[in-house]
Amino acid sequence: MSQEILVEQLQALEKKLHKLVIKCNTYQKENERLVEENIQLQETVKKQKEELDTFHNQENFSSIVASIATGTEDTVELKKKLDEYIDEVDKCIALLGK
């Protein structure tokens, strides 16, 4: 092979390599963006699950309180006890959040 052919092949190879480097950089940036987006979406899902759990807990407590007959001494004591349980659950949720 002549030296000119080798130089042309080397130049063609350099051009292809340059294109590959550009593509690689583009894909790396896209990957970083997608990883960040994935992290944000996971955080959103986690927050929504926590909100849903809180809603279900509140719904359960509300149904218990609604089912209690009002005006009796037992009711007052039961409501106090429920308030204590709610406070305790809130403390547990706060600790789990840390």
Side-chain angles (χ1 to χ4, degrees), residues 2 5 7 11 19 21-22 25 29 31 37 41 45-47 53 60 62 64 71 83 85 90 98:
S2 70
I5 294 173
V7 169
Q11 288 174 344
K19 288 180 182 180
V21 168
I22 290 172
N25 289 337
K29 288 178 185 177
N31 186 40
E37 182 180 350
L41 290 173
V45 167
K46 181 181 176 184
K47 287 178 184 177
D53 288 343
N60 289 339
S62 296
I64 291 170
D83 286 338
Y85 288 143
D90 287 340
K98 293 179 183 179

Side-chain angles (χ1 to χ4, degrees), residues 9 14-15 17 33 52 56 62 67-68 78 84-85:
Q9 288 178 342
E14 285 177 344
K15 286 181 184 180
L17 183 61
R33 185 189 68 77
L52 184 61
H56 285 303
S62 296
S67 68
I68 297 172
L78 185 56
E84 291 174 14
Y85 288 143

Side-chain angles (χ1 to χ4, degrees), residues 21-98:
V21 168
I22 290 172
K23 281 185 179 182
C24 182
N25 289 337
T26 302
Y27 291 143
Q28 283 177 338
K29 288 178 185 177
E30 178 70 7
N31 186 40
E32 289 171 2
R33 185 189 68 77
L34 291 173
V35 166
E36 182 63 32
E37 182 180 350
N38 187 16
I39 290 169
Q40 291 174 353
L41 290 173
Q42 287 176 351
E43 289 174 1
T44 301
V45 167
K46 181 181 176 184
K47 287 178 184 177
Q48 288 178 344
K49 283 182 180 180
E50 290 172 356
E51 289 174 5
L52 184 61
D53 288 343
T54 301
F55 174 76
H56 285 303
N57 288 338
Q58 289 174 349
E59 188 177 67
N60 289 339
F61 286 126
S62 296
S63 65
I64 291 170
V65 171
S67 68
I68 297 172
T70 57
T72 64
E73 293 178 21
D74 291 337
T75 303
V76 173
E77 290 178 33
L78 185 56
K79 284 183 180 182
K80 287 180 183 178
K81 198 66 170 170
L82 282 174
D83 286 338
E84 291 174 14
Y85 288 143
I86 290 170
D87 290 339
E88 201 62 34
V89 168
D90 287 340
K91 289 177 186 176
C92 291
I93 291 172
L95 288 173
L96 289 173
K98 293 179 183 179

